[in-house]
Amino acid sequence: MKFQQSLLDNINTSLITMNETVSIAESVTSGLIQLAFSQMPNAKLFYKGGIITFTLPEKVSLLDINRIQAEENGFETQKMAGTMAVKVAESFGTDWGIASTGYAASGRNSGFKVYSFCSFSYKGW
């Protein structure tokens, strides 16, 4: 997999310069964002780790997502991505949280579409 190097370099330099850290929660991207971060020079200075929660039970148990709210609101939404970003940052004690969720394959629950929601949290927001 080839990533856009200039973007990775910019992220790398910015996080090191600001002395900030990041963690990642992924669903639909299934580790792809974490792979990109792990390939950055000096990643150990800012990238603290991540988690892949592909299904709702894992989101509930590992990210402390409220199952009832997720089921009522549809658990592959922008709101879910935002909650995942905040929760992963809390879990890893990082400044930044990045999350992705959505549908990797078309089906009835996705309205027969493939899509992804991504979200960023910064210091709890």
Side-chain angles (χ1 to χ4, degrees), residues 59-125:
K59 288 177 177 76
V60 170
S61 67
L62 299 172
L63 291 172
D64 196 30
I65 299 296
N66 183 304
R67 176 184 291 278
I68 295 169
Q69 287 180 346
E71 288 173 345
E72 287 174 355
N73 298 319
F75 63 92
E76 302 301 348
T77 65
Q78 185 63 49
K79 184 176 181 178
M80 174 61 73
T83 302
M84 290 170 61
V86 170
K87 295 289 187 170
V88 76
E90 287 174 0
S91 295
F92 282 85
T94 57
D95 300 298
W96 291 90
I98 300 173
S100 71
T101 192
Y103 286 94
S106 64
R108 183 179 311 271
N109 289 344
S110 71
F112 298 99
K113 295 180 182 177
V114 176
Y115 60 88
S116 176
F117 294 105
C118 294
S119 188
F120 298 82
S121 72
Y122 182 65
K123 297 190 178 187
W125 294 92

Side-chain angles (χ1 to χ4, degrees), residues 20-66:
E20 293 184 337
T21 55
V22 65
S23 56
I24 302 164
E26 294 182 79
S27 180
V28 69
T29 49
S30 204
L32 186 61
I33 300 169
Q34 292 176 68
L35 175 62
F37 271 73
S38 73
Q39 301 304 301
M40 292 182 199
N42 300 306
K44 66 182 177 182
L45 297 176
F46 57 85
Y47 173 53
K48 301 304 177 189
I51 189 164
I52 299 169
T53 56
F54 202 69
T55 63
L56 183 57
E58 285 70 36
K59 288 177 177 76
V60 170
S61 67
L62 299 172
L63 291 172
D64 196 30
I65 299 296
N66 183 304

